Amino acid sequence: MGFNLAPLQNLIDQFERMQGIGHKTAQRMAFYVLGLSDAEANEFAKAITDAHTKIRQCQICCDLADDELCPICKSGNRDKSVICVVEDPRDVAAIERTHEYKGTYHVLHGAISPMDNIGPDQIRIKELVARLSDDTVEEVIMATNPTVEGEATAMYISRLLKPMGITVSRLAYGVPVGADLEYADEVTLSRALEGRSLI
Amino acid sequence: MGFNLAPLQNLIDQFERMQGIGHKTAQRMAFYVLGLSDAEANEFAKAITDAHTKIRQCQICCDLADDELCPICKSGNRDKSVICVVEDPRDVAAIERTHEYKGTYHVLHGAISPMDNIGPDQIRIKELVARLSDDTVEEVIMATNPTVEGEATAMYISRLLKPMGITVSRLAYGVPVGADLEYADEVTLSRALEGRSLI
């Protein structure tokens, strides 16, 4: 690019390694860093190492935590008899934003995907099964993504848990609220018809 | 966003402060950092502090440098009698990519813009004038941006330098190579007509 300065080029390369960040953006970000004060730059660098060293996985639900347990597993106000199973910590945040769900979560950190060499042992399924041994859990809600991998994972887990006498449910499929029926794909629309309810 | 984890939220905030980075992108970038190994995260943090402490301004041309002088001012192969004046270090990189220019540069770090309270004293004009005192410089090429601010800066500097007996020139205006005439704006097109040359 014409910057013959190793420290600058190194920083640009670091930013460029991130998914979705192209060369021009990485360059703009590096120049942003150069424009910071010394204290700000140190704070930025510290935020990176801090997040990396302080954030770990909750010992119960495998969600991100800054302690042994995540804030949700620590809380006394959550219904421990219901577990909502998601693929990613960001899905927990998405469901929390609804303010509707009062149970606990289990984060799989992925979905079964034979194409990517991810089998049941590569995601946190045995940690989920371990949580079910003490009989307090009554229902497991599968909230994996509505994709082929997410479906396969939901099916796999439901077959594993049903013999244990646990209710396994799945998020409803249907047309998204606020969307236009005209643009809904056939599969979504036929699922919405199947799942219709009386009004 | 539902992440009740201070180190994670802090990192997201740090990324979000950058221009052009929205909340979702900042979040994705923070998760990228969480996915790094310890060594990689430390390297990333170090790249930030390194770039910040090691990069400074060249004592001659005010371009970015990792030493007293930038690689161009240090080089013995550049024509010291021509100075190309640009607004930003990225403009130096852009001109260097042409491999056509063999003179030196001067980086103003901005352009005169009364609207943003940037006057001639806020940009590196006096450093440019200081370079002209020893009579080796014969021509100054104004390569500020073709914007109102860039034009004003070019005019200001040319009026300042002409009485010193220095040739001051300006980059040519015209239609960009490879573009479609149909989409050229009127001002660009009339400048291209004015500046037409014999073939």
Side-chain angles (χ1 to χ4, degrees), chain B residues 49-91:
Chain B
T49 45
D50 268 10
H52 206 265
T53 51
K54 291 186 185 162
I55 301 282
R56 42 189 161 165
Q57 283 181 19
C58 170
Q59 305 236 317
I60 295 178
C61 74
C62 304
D63 191 8
L64 300 178
D66 52 3
D67 206 347
E68 297 273 287
L69 300 182
C70 73
I72 293 170
C73 286
K74 256 192 241 171
S75 162
N77 299 323
R78 308 293 297 224
D79 180 358
K80 303 266 197 277
S81 70
V82 189
I83 297 179
C84 177
V85 178
V86 296
E87 291 182 22
D88 194 278
R90 277 163 282 195
D91 301 335

Side-chain angles (χ1 to χ4, degrees), chain A:
Chain A
M1 267 303 286
F3 293 114
N4 289 323
L5 306 168
L8 180 60
Q9 197 54 55
N10 182 21
L11 184 59
I12 295 175
D13 292 345
Q14 286 283 354
F15 282 126
E16 207 175 344
R17 246 170 252 170
M18 294 194 220
Q19 208 197 351
I21 302 296
H23 189 79
K24 284 269 172 185
T25 309
Q27 201 177 305
R28 209 176 53 221
M29 289 162 87
F31 274 88
Y32 161 84
V33 170
L34 291 184
L36 292 175
S37 72
D38 275 348
E40 285 168 335
N42 285 334
E43 217 174 285
F44 191 4
K46 195 166 168 297
I48 288 174
T49 45
D50 267 11
H52 207 265
T53 52
K54 291 187 186 164
I55 300 281
R56 41 188 161 165
Q57 283 182 18
C58 171
Q59 304 237 316
I60 296 178
C61 74
C62 305
D63 191 9
L64 299 177
D66 52 2
D67 206 346
E68 297 272 287
L69 300 181
C70 73
I72 293 171
C73 286
K74 255 192 240 171
S75 163
N77 299 323
R78 309 293 297 226
D79 180 358
K80 303 265 197 279
S81 70
V82 188
I83 297 179
C84 178
V85 177
V86 295
E87 292 182 21
D88 194 279
R90 277 164 280 195
D91 301 335
V92 173
I95 296 177
E96 283 296 286
R97 278 201 298 278
T98 67
H99 298 293
E100 290 284 338
Y101 180 68
K102 296 291 168 223
T104 59
Y105 293 92
H106 190 83
V107 180
L108 295 173
H109 290 275
I112 295 171
S113 170
M115 297 274 282
D116 304 314
N117 274 325
I118 300 176
D121 295 338
Q122 272 73 54
I123 59 176
R124 308 287 189 283
I125 292 180
K126 60 176 184 297
E127 286 85 349
L128 174 62
V129 174
R131 288 175 70 179
L132 306 173
S133 55
D134 66 351
D135 284 345
T136 53
V137 178
E138 287 161 16
E139 183 177 358
V140 169
I141 304 171
M142 296 305 307
T144 50
N145 287 328
T147 56
V148 176
E149 291 80 12
E151 286 304 319
T153 309
M155 284 305 295
Y156 179 90
I157 293 178
S158 77
R159 281 185 196 164
L160 202 68
L161 304 189
K162 271 184 187 159
M164 301 168 76
I166 289 161
T167 311
V168 183
S169 58
R170 181 85 176 101
L171 281 191
Y173 293 103
V175 284
V177 178
D180 208 320
L181 264 199
E182 194 181 344
Y183 300 114
D185 64 293
E186 300 82 1
V187 183
T188 301
L189 216 48
S190 61
R191 293 293 194 102
L193 276 169
E194 264 176 50
R196 70 188 180 279
S197 59
L198 293 172
I199 51 171

Side-chain angles (χ1 to χ4, degrees), chain B residues 21 25 34 43 60 87 110 115 119 128 133 144 159 162 165 169:
Chain B
I21 302 297
T25 309
L34 291 184
E43 216 175 285
I60 295 178
E87 291 182 22
M115 297 275 281
L128 173 63
S133 55
T144 50
R159 282 186 196 164
K162 271 184 186 159
S169 59

